[in-house]
Amino acid sequence: MLETNLIVTAALVLAVLILIGKTVVILPQNMAYIIERLGKYYETQTAGLQFVIPFIDRIAYKVSLKESAIDIPSQSAITKDNISLTIDGVLYIKVMEPYKASYGIDNYVYAVIQLAQTSMRSEIGKLDLDKTFEERDSLNVKIIHAINQASAAWGVQVMRYEIKDINPPASVLDAMEKQMRAEREKRASILDSEGKRQAAINIAEGAKQATVLSAEAEREQQVLKAEGEALSITLVAEAKARALTMIGQAAATTEGQAAVLLDLATEAIAAKKAIARESTVVLMDNDKSSAGNTVAEALGVVAAIQKSGVLS
């Protein structure tokens, strides 16, 4: 009898523990549980210690609230200029409303992938081939906007969308390579011609500046030379004027007049000697060629000057 009671007690304790285990629920961070009571939505439980009623409540859905990265498979798209492209990408989504994600759609991940592919094809069809490479960022923004408009009813928000690869056909790649090579050669030719033109301009400007500087230097040199000559003439004239003034002042005296007479006689004798040296034949009167006659001539000149009143 005692053994039977122990077995019953143990069974009751075990049942209570099992019941407690089914009643107490510990939710991890960034998780949400959708609780149904008697088959109908009851509440959404988030991270922490939660309680449910066994056999009445049940966890219908477990929804992750983390941001998820979804790979978008490669697909074909046709551009506005009828070029077929193969494009793939990656989509980052996050569940914002667990209730809508559970009851608004059967599989929101699959729906978002399909919506991303159709939106991508639609946006690619609006652009030419060249623009698809240039406006990749704009494409990403437009695809995100298109997906979020439809996924709002599912409680899902697209955080980012990135196009990974855009692969045109091999023939188009070859044509693009030739075009880019031609563009590079064109830019190189333009840069080379621009460099030569700038070099020619610089050389011409340098020659012009050198000519101007040379002309200015020559002009300044001529100005300085003229100023120097003018100053020299002025100084010589001033010196001669001072000399004449001194001579005039000295000639006004008796001693000065005698000195003048002596100087004139000396210069006359020197002049006749110079003529005699330079001429091979000199015909002169003996009386007039004597030194006394020369001095007499000089004295006659002085006397004439005195008589005229120049020497007083």
Side-chain angles (χ1 to χ4, degrees), residues 182-252:
E183 287 292 333
R184 287 193 296 267
E185 292 175 355
K186 175 183 175 183
R187 287 195 296 268
S189 298
I190 292 173
L191 291 175
D192 183 62
S193 62
E194 286 291 334
K196 290 180 179 179
R197 184 177 69 88
Q198 190 62 43
I201 291 173
N202 291 339
I203 292 172
E205 286 291 337
K208 177 183 176 182
Q209 292 179 4
T211 303
V212 171
L213 292 175
S214 177
E216 290 179 353
E218 184 177 358
R219 181 176 62 83
E220 291 179 359
Q221 182 180 4
Q222 291 176 355
V223 170
L224 292 175
K225 182 179 179 182
E227 290 178 352
E229 291 177 353
L231 181 60
S232 176
I233 293 171
T234 301
L235 293 176
V236 170
E238 290 177 354
K240 287 182 177 182
R242 287 195 297 270
L244 291 173
T245 300
M246 293 176 65
I247 292 171
Q249 291 175 354

Side-chain angles (χ1 to χ4, degrees), residues 64-69 91-95 157 159-160:
S64 174
L65 302 180
K66 298 178 183 179
E67 186 175 336
S68 303
L91 192 67
Y92 298 86
I93 67 171
K94 185 175 183 179
V95 175
Q157 182 176 352
M159 312 304 292
R160 291 185 303 280

Side-chain angles (χ1 to χ4, degrees), residues 242-291:
R242 287 195 297 270
L244 291 173
T245 300
M246 293 176 65
I247 292 171
Q249 291 175 354
T253 64
T254 304
E255 292 81 0
Q257 293 177 5
V260 170
L261 292 175
L262 179 60
D263 184 62
L264 290 174
T266 302
E267 290 183 357
I269 294 170
K272 287 190 175 184
K273 286 183 179 180
I275 293 171
R277 282 195 302 269
E278 294 177 0
S279 178
T280 57
V281 178
V282 179
L283 298 177
M284 299 182 64
D285 189 358
N286 288 335
D287 295 335
K288 294 183 179 180
S289 62
S290 63

